[in-house]
Amino acid sequence: MSHIVFEVGLAIALVALSGLLAAKFRFSVIPFYILVGMAVGPHAFQIWHLDFRFIESAALIEFMGRIGVLFLLFYLGLEFSVGRLVKAGKSIAAGGTIYILINFSLGLVLGWGLGFPLEEVLVVAGITTISSSAIVAKVLVDLKRTANPETEMILGIIMFEDVFLAVYISILSGLVLSGSSSLGGVLLSALIALVYMLGLLIVGRKLVPLLNKALNIRSGELFALVIFAILFLVAGFSETIHVAEAIGALLVGLVLAETEHVKRIEKLIIPFRDFFGAIFFFSFGLTIDPRTLGGEALWYSLAAVVVTLLGNFVAGILAGRSAGLSPRASSNIGLTIVSRGEFSIIMANLGKAGGLLAILQPFAAMYVLILAILGPLLTKESKWIYRALDKVFKFESRHVKRMAQKRTPASEER
């Protein structure tokens, strides 16, 4: 195919068709979008003289997918507010630390167990630690779980992961690409990311009265232009200082959620979120080469999936418990953020750029594909999974016993 507009039209038609199929079978749409993207990507098979691969439009579709991630995270931010996150700051820091420590340690053990050299082990740990903010955002919105008690912790962990990512990519780039790492540079990257995120939230909150006046615009066209300008400028600037643009979009959403125009902004954003969000998962599928998904990489990725499922569930239970959430809400944390995506692929590409073992790329592609498909399913069926696990591990009865023990000393004093 050589006509770019026609290619984009076909891409949208394929996404729409796969969405209709998913709705018919009452299945999560995300796996369908990814699989149809794989089927027509630049790496897909060419049948005789018939070539249905999306090649010329791949870059444009990828850019549209990036915009989709921004809208997904921006909308998620609108569902919350800076005030709610500030109140939960201490428990989010504790939960984020627990999540990173458990998943990163398991990633190191996995890489070492697979017999990889040190640099490859560090890349594997990065691939298995960072969850996909785009998939998590999409799942929360699709399943209407933005108002759930555990969603605050999930959002906090996503932001915490971004600070970790800024530090880790700095270290890994130094080790893999240049053979050395500057401690000062690493600390500076982490400090900049942290100060920027906190600064934007604090300053944004102070600016809410001004934003209320500035956004009092009658024209729908001008209102849309102003909102989009704020979103893209802040997200783009975030990227220039090595904070993920998606996190920049999330921060803008959190600030604008405090304004009296939040409902109007949500109404404006929803069609863009749905359209570009679907394109993101299709574009993600385009990047996966089906020919690499087999052999040794398949077994390595299956082992990594098992480790990630265990690590996420335990981390979710412990993080939720530290925030005083119920066992069921805590298990929802681990099952919701189990998906891996864009950040894992970035880690694998870093390994490729550094000339590390070639198996890292197919390993990451297969691992991400399995969890991108499995993650939304586990989140959707979290109620049944929790009930089944509770029969074995007795989470509820232990929780009730723990709560009773906490109340007992107070009762005795009275």
Side-chain angles (χ1 to χ4, degrees):
M1 288 184 287
S2 58
H3 301 284
I4 195 162
V5 175
F6 184 60
E7 275 196 38
V8 172
L10 272 179
I12 295 169
L14 286 170
V15 170
L17 186 63
S18 55
L20 287 170
L21 279 174
K24 185 174 177 60
F25 293 112
R26 295 183 179 180
F27 212 74
S28 169
V29 293
I30 295 173
F32 279 72
Y33 293 156
I34 295 173
L35 290 172
V36 78
M38 278 177 61
V40 295
H43 309 290
F45 300 106
Q46 189 179 349
I47 305 169
W48 194 42
H49 291 294
L50 300 174
D51 184 1
F52 298 107
R53 295 173 300 165
F54 285 68
I55 297 172
E56 286 199 13
S57 60
L60 176 61
I61 293 172
E62 185 191 351
F63 180 71
M64 290 166 73
R66 280 177 64 185
I67 293 176
V69 178
L70 296 188
F71 281 126
L72 282 169
L73 270 293
F74 178 58
Y75 183 83
L76 200 56
L78 289 174
E79 293 287 294
F80 283 81
S81 68
V82 179
R84 283 181 65 181
L85 278 189
V86 168
K87 280 182 188 172
K90 196 175 173 182
S91 57
I92 283 173
T97 305
I98 290 168
Y99 183 83
I100 294 288
L101 274 178
I102 290 178
N103 283 283
F104 185 71
S105 303
L106 287 175
L108 289 176
V109 172
L110 176 73
W112 177 75
L114 293 175
F116 287 139
L118 178 62
E119 289 182 342
E120 280 79 354
V121 168
L122 294 173
V123 172
V124 168
I127 288 171
T128 57
T129 300
I130 309 294
S131 55
S132 168
S133 47
I135 297 177
V136 171
K138 174 78 174 164
V139 168
L140 287 173
V141 172
D142 281 357
L143 298 180
K144 296 183 172 54
R145 292 192 180 178
T146 52
N148 281 18
E150 71 273 12
T151 305
E152 207 165 77
M153 174 62 78
I154 291 171
L155 268 186
I157 289 176
I158 288 175
M159 293 176 66
F160 201 87
E161 280 181 331
D162 199 60
V163 176
F164 172 78
L165 189 70
V167 176
Y168 198 61
I169 280 187
S170 302
I171 295 172
L172 210 56
S173 300
L175 283 171
V176 173
L177 300 180
S178 67
S180 63
S181 178
S182 158
L183 181 62
V186 170
L187 292 175
L188 186 63
S189 296
L191 191 63
I192 288 173
L194 194 60
V195 169
Y196 173 72
M197 288 165 65
L198 290 175
L200 190 59
L201 292 176
I202 293 167
V203 173
R205 205 175 185 192
K206 299 279 183 192
L207 290 176
V208 167
L210 188 63
L211 287 169
N212 281 334
K213 287 183 184 176
L215 294 177
N216 198 12
I217 303 168
R218 283 190 180 181
S219 165
E221 178 184 336
L222 289 177
F223 183 77
L225 284 170
V226 171
I227 295 298
F228 283 15
I230 295 172
L231 168 60
F232 282 89
L233 280 172
V234 175
F237 179 74
S238 303
E239 193 187 18
T240 64
I241 56 169
H242 305 298
V243 172
E245 57 191 14
I247 299 299
L250 176 65
L251 295 171
V252 177
L254 287 167
V255 171
L256 291 181
E258 300 255 325
T259 69
E260 57 195 32
H261 304 281
V262 61
K263 293 296 174 193
R264 191 181 177 191
I265 300 170
E266 281 182 1
K267 198 175 173 185
L268 166 74
I269 291 299
I270 286 173
F272 294 93
R273 177 204 70 189
D274 292 342
F275 176 75
F276 287 103
I279 298 293
F280 164 74
F281 295 103
F282 176 76
S283 70
F284 181 60
L286 290 180
T287 63
I288 298 175
D289 184 351
R291 293 169 300 185
T292 63
L293 306 181
E296 213 173 23
L298 173 63
W299 297 111
Y300 288 180
S301 56
L302 287 174
V305 165
V306 172
V307 168
T308 302
L309 291 177
L310 290 172
N312 264 250
F313 191 80
V314 172
I317 289 286
L318 293 177
R321 187 173 165 179
S322 74
L325 295 173
S326 69
R328 185 175 162 181
S330 303
S331 80
N332 282 349
I333 295 172
L335 294 171
T336 303
I337 50 181
V338 77
S339 298
R340 298 295 185 265
E342 59 278 12
F343 298 128
S344 299
I345 298 297
I346 289 170
M347 287 288 174
N349 287 340
L350 189 64
K352 184 184 179 185
L356 302 187
L357 291 176
I359 199 171
L360 286 176
Q361 280 225 311
F363 159 74
M366 194 69 208
Y367 169 75
V368 165
L369 179 64
I370 294 172
L371 286 179
I373 292 172
L374 207 54
L377 292 176
L378 291 175
T379 311
K380 189 180 176 188
E381 305 302 332
S382 58
K383 185 169 72 176
W384 307 110
I385 295 169
Y386 174 71
R387 282 183 185 174
L389 290 173
D390 187 47
K391 286 180 182 173
V392 179
F393 296 103
K394 312 290 181 194
F395 295 122
E396 285 293 340
S397 55
R398 287 182 184 178
H399 177 68
V400 170
K401 195 176 175 183
R402 204 163 45 246
M403 291 296 104
Q405 283 174 344
K406 279 186 179 178
R407 282 194 294 270
T408 303
S411 305
E412 285 174 353
E413 282 176 15
R414 282 198 296 274

